[in-house]
Amino acid sequence: GESVGLHLPTLSVQEGDNSIINCAYSNSASDYFIWYKQESGKGPQFIIDIRSNMDKRQGQRVTVLLNKTVKHLSLQIAATQPGDSAVYFCAENKKTSYDKVIFGPGTSLSVIP
Amino acid sequence: NAGVTQTPKFQVLKTGQSMTLQCAQDMNHNSMYWYRQDPGMGLRLIYYSASEGTTDKGEVPNGYNVSRLNKREFSLRLESAAPSQTSVYFCASSELGGPKYEQYFGPGTRLTVT
């Protein structure tokens, strides 16, 4: 079936190191991918997105990489800070689904001071 | 701007009771959404409203109804609550529908059905 999932459910990194959060998707028809951050007790917050016609996009301290050949998405956070501790979700949007965003199960990032 | 607000923050219901979750946004957004989030799973779309006056089913609509009261407000109703509806419910809004428009989420309502 169609799904968006994460390779690692939990990730611990030292403050100042770079973090890499991975995500696999199975639907090759997906044309838009989004990363969300969810802090404890709060709703998800948009981080960065990427279209399927791109393989890399950079934001402030974050980079998203898309490998369509192996249907893999990753979020890289540079110089990880304690405030980056949260659950990170990747999500896909299928061209035919218009408003419907399919979320993966999430991975928890813990930053060790 | 308050963004997206939800009430109540917490609720405990007995099986069979009904309740309405309220959501409002002050960003003049056209599209609004209701999601549920269960442990170990991503958010799943219950219903959405692409614009005022329209509503559509999402991935898991059974047991729920919605009302787009006006452009600002989008409510979710549980007519006869079941333990399987224990979850955290998030409302979201976006300027328009479609992937290029960022969704803004409310803080969530934590519902327990006993």
Side-chain angles (χ1 to χ4, degrees):
Chain A
E2 299 163 352
S3 66
V4 177
L6 295 174
H7 292 306
L8 299 172
T10 60
L11 178 66
S12 294
V13 297
Q14 204 71 39
E15 182 178 356
D17 288 351
N18 296 335
S19 302
I20 300 176
I21 302 169
N22 296 303
C23 177
Y25 66 94
S26 59
N27 189 347
S28 56
S30 295
D31 62 351
Y32 195 81
F33 303 90
I34 310 152
W35 280 100
Y36 283 91
K37 172 187 181 182
Q38 186 176 25
E39 295 176 81
S40 181
K42 296 184 179 180
Q45 182 180 14
F46 173 93
I47 302 173
I48 192 168
D49 57 20
I50 188 168
R51 290 191 179 276
S52 59
N53 61 354
M54 303 170 69
D55 54 17
K56 181 179 181 179
R57 189 167 187 214
Q58 287 184 293
Q60 188 176 13
R61 282 201 307 119
V62 294
T63 301
V64 57
L65 300 177
L66 176 63
N67 185 331
K68 293 182 286 294
T69 302
V70 295
K71 295 182 191 144
H72 184 266
L73 192 69
S74 69
L75 177 71
Q76 300 179 0
I77 304 173
T80 311
Q81 302 168 0
D84 295 326
S85 293
V87 176
Y88 291 81
F89 295 94
C90 65
E92 66 172 315
N93 186 285
K94 293 177 279 188
K95 204 179 230 180
T96 56
S97 295
Y98 188 54
D99 298 302
K100 298 170 189 173
V101 178
I102 307 297
F103 286 80
T107 192
S108 177
L109 174 65
S110 293
V111 180
I112 305 163
Chain B
N1 283 355
V4 180
T5 56
Q6 293 182 235
T7 56
K9 284 187 167 43
F10 301 93
Q11 183 72 49
V12 179
L13 291 178
K14 293 189 190 310
T15 297
Q17 287 184 318
S18 62
M19 78 161 295
T20 300
L21 281 65
Q22 307 287 353
C23 173
Q25 51 91 8
D26 63 0
M27 296 173 281
N28 201 35
H29 285 169
N30 290 287
S31 299
M32 297 185 74
Y33 313 81
W34 276 106
Y35 292 89
R36 61 177 287 174
Q37 184 176 35
D38 301 299
M41 301 182 71
L43 283 78
R44 290 183 292 168
L45 183 66
I46 304 171
Y47 271 94
Y48 69 98
S49 172
S51 60
E52 186 179 355
T54 69
T55 60
D56 284 285
K57 294 178 181 180
E59 186 183 353
V60 288
N62 291 347
Y64 306 95
N65 285 301
V66 290
S67 295
R68 184 74 183 266
L69 304 169
N70 48 54
K71 191 172 186 180
R72 289 188 63 247
E73 298 171 289
F74 188 39
S75 63
L76 178 72
R77 182 159 179 84
L78 287 70
E79 290 291 351
S80 179
S84 62
Q85 294 178 304
T86 293
S87 188
V88 181
Y89 292 85
F90 289 99
C91 177
S93 71
S94 60
E95 184 181 343
L96 291 170
K100 65 185 276 188
Y101 296 99
E102 179 181 342
Q103 291 190 22
Y104 294 81
F105 286 82
T109 294
R110 282 147 184 80
L111 174 66
T112 301
V113 182
T114 61

